[in-house]
Every structure is written in C-alpha cells, then in structure tokens.
Amino acid sequence: MSELSSIEKSKKVFSETTFSVLNSEGKEEFHRTMPIQEFVHSTSWGYNEFIKKDAKFRNQMLSNKALTIRCEVKFSDMNDIAEEYHQCDCNMEVPECNLSENLASLFENQEFTDVVLSVNGKDFPAHKLVLAARSPVFRAMFKHDTIENELNRVDIEDIDEQVAGEMLKYIYTGKCLNLKKSAGGLLAAADKYDLYQLKTMCAKTLFEGLSVENATSVLSLADMHGVEELKNKVIKFIVSNPTEVMGTEGWKNIRSNFELADEVCLAIAKQSKRTTN
C-alpha cells in the first residue's frame, strides 16, 4: 500500500484492479481486470461469479486443496489518468473543411432557393440566409417589410449579368476567379452591397493593373466608390506621369469632374514646386 500512501489524501484516488487465479503449478490461468473506478475505503470489489468449480477447477486449480488468488491494484489520481490519456498516440486525420464547395454546389444546383435576383432580365435563384449572412445590405432588405422580401425577388438594373454572377459566386464561396476581367464592375457591386473584402480585392487588382491608358478610369472608380487608398495611389501615379496621362482620351472625362481634376492638378503642382526648389 506504499503507492497509495504516496498520493495526497486530499485528492480523489482511483484504482485499477486485476484478479488472477494461479493453477497448481503457480502459473496464471485466469484473470479479469475491473474498470478504473474511484477508490473508497471500507468498500469491496470483485465478481460474484469469477470461476466455475468444475473438474478443471478441482484437477488444475487446486494445490493441496488450496486455491491461490492474486490481486493486483494500481492506484492513481486524475492527473495521472489525464496525462496517460493524452500521451496516447492518435493517428486520426481530420478532413479539410469543404464549406465553400458545399455552398457553391447549393448555388449551382439551385437547391432550396427562396429568392430570385433578376439582373436585366436574367434570373439568379439564391438563398436569403446566405445573402443576408454575407451582405449587410441584403440582411437589411430581408429583415424588414420591403417589397423584395415580400415578393422574394430583387430587381437589379445597374449591374450587368456577368458581374452579378461573379458577385454571387464570391458571396457563396469567398472566391473570385475572374477578378481581372471584372474588377471595375465588381468594385461597384461590392460597394453597393457592402462586400468589404471583395471591394478591397477589386481595388488591389485594379492597382496591380494600373497603366497610363487606364489611370483615369481607375481614378474615377476609386473616387466614385470611396476607395481612398486606391485613389491616392492613382494620383501619385499620375503625378509621376503627368504628360502621358493627360494626353489620353480618359483625361477629357476627368476634366468634366472639376473637383477631381483640381485635386490631381494640385498634386502635380505641389510635386513640380518641390522639384523646382
């Protein structure tokens, strides 16, 4: 019982008990191990029916009419049990989460849809729950007594079909595979439906593809949809290439936006003054 005395008395003590019967030659013939259980003083353990008293019992298990029983008890506290448990090897592989693939399948197969997005005559069946979870604008639309919520139909006229399809794929999967082709239109759609991540993805793609030829159109998009970081980067680009950009057809459109044109011209003037000084 020395092992038991080494365990703090204030802790709960647990035991694993093994009963064995030795044959007439002193070898273990039969044993049973009880499940781990809390050790309580003045209680008993065992089995009501442990071994049959048959011919084998009399001939092999008795030695000089005596039966030898071995009882082995292992004591431990809960910390020992927990440590032993966590040291066990676990080779189970957790499969990757395929939520985006599941939602993409739901959208593509048009299962359980409860709303239609009608874009210039083309219908996109969708799910209110998914749209509301991803877009604050859709959430507000379906949360209140709006005509869209009542008719289960959202009419969209300021976004083309391709952009709407890409936007919905993003809403369902978090991915946008054709971003380079549709970045401008998707930026407008993302701004309209408050899809912040998509809006940022579009802004990054537009900046990465920035050139003398498209600088003014990207600047107009950034200004129109309130992407200040992109707007400031494009202005810096134009300041670095003023003659080239101002010689493009797009600059004529910028000139019609007096505030934006003045902002660009002021930035060019400041840069020119620094260079002169």
Side-chain angles (χ1 to χ4, degrees), residues 106-125:
L106 196 66
F107 172 65
E108 291 170 1
N109 296 329
Q110 301 181 4
E111 296 178 313
F112 314 114
T113 57
D114 55 2
V115 66
V116 171
L117 273 62
S118 179
V119 184
N120 298 319
K122 181 174 181 177
D123 289 345
F124 293 90

Side-chain angles (χ1 to χ4, degrees), residues 4-200:
L4 175 59
S5 62
S6 66
I7 301 175
E8 296 179 19
K9 293 182 179 180
S10 60
K11 294 182 178 179
K12 285 186 175 182
V13 179
F14 293 80
S15 66
E16 182 182 57
T17 308
T18 301
F19 294 99
S20 305
V21 177
L22 305 184
N23 60 25
S24 57
E25 297 179 358
K27 295 181 180 179
E28 187 178 276
E29 182 74 21
F30 185 79
H31 76 273
R32 292 178 70 177
T33 300
M34 301 187 67
I36 296 175
Q37 59 184 330
E38 184 179 353
F39 178 84
V40 180
H41 290 282
S42 302
T43 59
S44 60
W45 305 287
Y47 298 90
N48 293 328
E49 297 180 358
F50 186 68
I51 189 171
K52 291 182 178 181
K53 293 190 291 184
D54 52 13
K56 180 180 179 181
F57 175 83
R58 291 190 297 272
N59 297 332
Q60 299 180 19
M61 309 306 292
L62 297 179
S63 177
N64 296 325
K65 298 183 179 181
L67 178 67
T68 304
I69 299 176
R70 176 186 294 165
C71 179
E72 182 182 353
V73 184
K74 295 180 181 179
F75 296 99
S76 60
D77 62 16
M78 281 303 294
N79 291 330
D80 295 333
I81 296 173
E83 183 178 356
E84 181 180 352
Y85 173 79
H86 287 294
Q87 287 176 348
C88 295
D89 292 332
C90 180
N91 297 321
M92 292 186 295
E93 293 186 6
V94 179
E96 293 184 6
C97 176
N98 55 355
L99 178 60
S100 62
E101 289 81 359
N102 295 149
L103 290 177
S105 175
L106 196 66
F107 172 65
E108 291 170 1
N109 296 329
Q110 301 181 4
E111 296 178 313
F112 314 114
T113 57
D114 55 2
V115 66
V116 171
L117 273 62
S118 179
V119 184
N120 298 319
K122 181 174 181 177
D123 289 345
F124 293 90
H127 306 80
K128 288 183 180 180
L129 186 64
V130 177
L131 298 179
R134 300 283 280 155
S135 163
V137 175
F138 281 124
R139 185 187 305 122
M141 184 184 296
F142 299 137
K143 188 176 181 179
H144 300 96
D145 295 331
T146 61
I147 188 66
E148 292 85 358
N149 196 25
E150 181 180 349
L151 297 179
N152 299 320
R153 183 180 183 85
V154 181
D155 291 314
I156 302 174
E157 298 179 352
D158 53 352
I159 298 176
D160 66 40
E161 299 171 21
Q162 181 182 357
V163 169
E166 293 296 327
M167 179 186 73
L168 284 170
K169 288 178 183 177
Y170 164 80
I171 286 176
Y172 277 82
T173 67
K175 301 175 184 178
C176 193
L177 301 179
N178 298 312
L179 194 55
K180 289 184 178 180
K181 289 184 178 180
S182 308
L186 278 171
L187 178 66
D191 184 39
K192 178 177 181 178
Y193 291 105
D194 199 6
L195 301 169
Y196 179 74
Q197 185 190 39
L198 179 59
K199 189 175 178 180
T200 305

